């Protein structure tokens, strides 16, 4: 990758921040239209009944004293998910390479072994599980796949010449920074934090101009990335976060993160910052196709994909050209109901929502009726009602059934 640092005082800084902000605003405007449906799907996935839910006339959808959810849709979803996992990950290695000719047999086998190690290292099966689960639940799922390196420290033995009392070699153990992993790095994305170009259908995400992600990171993490040469301008973020009120924390409009069960997962975003030395920042990472010469990045007049990262909605901390993605965005998007004409497609839960609501209503209404009838006292006019219909009810309602039996 070709990295470059743009100081905050540089006029290009504000131009690029505005570009990222405009991309985020455009995508979120359309993505927000799906959030209510996704929240409903999450409740169905958790077998949760919202007792406050009303229909278009304001009447309660679940007016019963006892609420029982019949998790048929969840069971069907799990069956489909199990089948998909077996299809994608039932073989070993998960990714098989087939040679095109005799000269490719050995290289294909060796590369297959490398891929299998990388998949194990990155826990690809869990990534696939979450991806397929998101496709069923939300109608779409995304896997972000980038090339990366992980470093760690290890003790190694280094031969050292000691001149006294006579020159000789001594093995010393020293701590050294070594590379622990190099290769593809997979990660799942919360659909609410994924921002593709809404001008093209989700099935054609690679035809858009940008793809973006939103996530939270601490100041310590940003500082570590700055030491590696990936981020810059991090010192401005720390300067903007004095005291206990952190501008870098998620703003109020983003504090309504989805809570599917009412169990309290919607913690105040400001609690993410533990102390003033390590505030929590909102990060926008966008992969944008542009002509570098138009933004005075380089002299190239050919469209290229660049990575821009903005922290705190106003500080550019990363700008570099992406050169190892073969001209494609680093995302794999799947759909439940594949559609290359519409922007979004519905998920599994949306397709069965009517049947699930009907099933819940039938069971709950029947139980409510049984509970009410157990302790009721009936006042009956024997001249107008056949008593045997009440005292000895059968399939044909008492008297008629009794006559048939006799």
């Amino acid at each position: 990758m070709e990295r470059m640092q743009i100081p905050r005082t540089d006029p290009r800084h504000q131009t690029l921040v505005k570009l990222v902000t405009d991309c985020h605003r455009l995508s979120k405007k359309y993505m927000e239209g799906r959030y209510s449906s996704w929240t409903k799907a999450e409740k169905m996935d958790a077998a949760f009944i919202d007792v406050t839910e009303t229909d278009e006339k304001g009447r309660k959808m679940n007016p019963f004293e006892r609420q029982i959810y019949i998790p048929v849709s969840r069971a069907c979803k799990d069956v489909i998910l199990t089948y998909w996992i077996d299809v994608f990950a039932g073989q070993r290695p998960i990714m098989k390479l087939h040679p095109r000719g005799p000269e490719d047999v050995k290289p294909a086998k060796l590369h297959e072994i490398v891929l299998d190690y990388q998949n194990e290292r990155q826990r690809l099966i869990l990534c696939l599980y979450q991806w397929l689960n998101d496709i069923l639940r939300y109608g779409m799922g995304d896997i972000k796949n980038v090339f990366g390196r992980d470093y760690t420290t290890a003790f190694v033995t280094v031969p050292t010449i000691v001149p006294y009392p006579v020159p000789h070699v001594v093995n010393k153990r020293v701590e050294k920074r070594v590379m622990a992993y190099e290769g593809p790095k997979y990660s799942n994305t919360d659909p609410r934090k994924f921002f593709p170009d809404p001008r093209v259908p989700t099935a054609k995400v690679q035809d858009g101009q940008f793809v973006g992600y939103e996530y939270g990171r601490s100041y310590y993490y940003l500082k570590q990335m700055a030491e590696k040469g990936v981020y810059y301008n991090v010192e401005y973020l720390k300067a903007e976060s004095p005291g206990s009120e952190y501008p870098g924390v998620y703003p109020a409009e983003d504090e309504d993160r989805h809570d599917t069960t009412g169990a309290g997962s919607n913690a105040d975003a400001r609690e993410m910052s533990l102390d003033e030395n390590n505030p929590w920042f909102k990060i926008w990472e966008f992969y944008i196709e542009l002509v570098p010469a138009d933004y005075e990045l380089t002299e190239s007049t050919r469209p290229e994909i660049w990575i821009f990262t903005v922290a705190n909605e106003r500080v550019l901390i990363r700008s570099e050209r992406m050169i190892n993605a073969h001209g494609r965005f680093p995302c794999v998007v799947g759909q439940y109901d594949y559609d290359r004409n519409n922007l979004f497609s519905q998920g599994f839960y949306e397709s069965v929502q009517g049947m699930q609501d009907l099933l819940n209503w039938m069971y709950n209404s029947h139980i409510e009726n049984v509970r009410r009838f157990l302790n009721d006292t009936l006042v009956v006019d024997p001249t107008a009602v056949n008593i045997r219909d009440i005292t000895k009810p059968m399939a044909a309602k008492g008297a008629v059934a009794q006559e048939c039996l006799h």
Side-chain angles (χ1 to χ4, degrees), residues 96-386:
K96 289 184 175 293
L97 299 181
H98 299 281
R100 300 295 295 271
E103 68 280 2
D104 299 329
V105 174
K106 185 176 180 180
K109 186 61 178 178
L110 294 176
H111 194 55
E112 191 178 82
I113 295 173
V114 174
L115 284 175
D116 188 52
Y117 163 75
Q118 292 174 339
N119 293 336
E120 275 192 358
R121 183 70 167 70
Q122 296 298 311
R123 299 184 178 181
L124 178 61
I125 293 181
L126 293 179
C127 191
L128 282 175
Y129 178 89
Q130 184 63 54
W131 181 57
L132 297 174
N133 194 36
D134 287 344
I135 291 175
L136 287 167
R137 184 165 48 186
Y138 303 111
M140 63 170 288
D142 170 66
I143 294 180
K144 180 183 176 184
N145 182 18
V146 297
F147 182 87
R149 297 181 178 91
D150 292 333
Y151 293 89
T152 185
T153 56
F155 286 95
V156 297
T157 302
V158 177
T160 305
I161 298 178
V162 178
Y164 301 101
V166 293
H168 62 285
V169 178
V170 177
N171 291 328
K172 289 187 176 182
R173 288 177 57 83
V174 296
E175 188 175 8
K176 186 178 180 181
R177 185 170 180 263
V178 297
M179 185 168 63
Y181 173 79
E182 180 181 29
K185 304 186 74 173
Y186 317 116
S187 61
N188 297 105
T189 305
D190 184 343
R192 287 178 175 81
K193 304 301 179 183
F194 177 57
F195 299 99
D197 191 339
R199 295 172 293 182
V200 297
T202 306
K204 300 180 180 179
V205 65
Q206 295 293 340
D207 295 339
Q209 186 184 354
F210 65 87
V211 164
Y213 301 89
E214 179 181 317
Y215 48 87
R217 290 291 185 269
S218 68
Y219 175 76
Y220 290 163
Y221 172 84
L222 300 181
K223 188 175 180 180
Q224 291 176 358
M225 296 296 289
E227 292 176 352
K228 296 178 182 179
V230 179
Y231 291 162
Y232 57 89
N233 286 338
V234 176
E235 64 276 5
Y236 292 106
L237 295 172
K238 190 61 177 297
E240 290 182 357
S241 301
S244 59
E245 294 296 328
Y246 306 122
V249 185
Y250 287 82
E253 61 268 19
D254 286 329
E255 291 181 2
D256 55 344
R257 289 170 295 164
H258 50 292
D259 183 2
T260 61
T261 63
S265 60
N266 261 353
D268 190 338
R270 295 185 180 276
E271 297 178 1
M272 293 296 179
S273 292
L274 298 177
D275 57 72
E276 62 181 16
N277 294 319
N278 188 30
W280 195 260
F281 295 97
K282 178 168 64 176
I283 306 297
W284 290 340
E285 182 180 88
F286 273 75
Y287 298 78
I288 305 176
E289 184 178 29
L290 48 75
V291 176
D294 294 344
Y295 294 87
E296 300 180 1
L297 296 171
T298 65
E299 297 180 356
S300 176
T301 57
R302 180 183 60 188
E304 300 170 350
I305 296 180
W306 279 66
I307 308 172
F308 299 106
T309 303
V310 174
N312 209 15
E313 300 187 11
R314 55 181 177 270
V315 180
L316 184 69
I317 62 175
R318 184 183 185 186
S319 52
E320 59 186 76
R321 184 168 75 96
M322 193 172 187
I323 61 176
N324 58 359
H326 309 287
R328 297 174 63 86
F329 298 117
C331 62
V332 179
V333 178
Q335 289 183 302
Y336 171 71
D337 188 10
Y338 182 76
D339 192 342
R340 290 181 62 88
N341 300 319
N342 294 321
L343 180 57
F344 301 108
S345 66
Q346 66 177 2
F348 170 76
Y349 284 122
E350 291 178 84
S351 64
V352 299
Q353 178 177 339
M355 293 185 290
Q356 179 64 62
D357 291 343
L358 176 61
L359 189 61
N360 290 339
W361 181 86
M362 289 182 62
Y363 272 84
N364 284 281
S365 62
H366 179 70
I367 293 174
E368 188 76 8
N369 184 58
V370 172
R371 290 182 68 256
R372 293 188 59 186
F373 195 81
L374 286 176
N375 298 318
D376 273 354
T377 300
L378 300 180
V379 179
V380 181
D381 183 359
T383 63
V385 177
N386 192 324

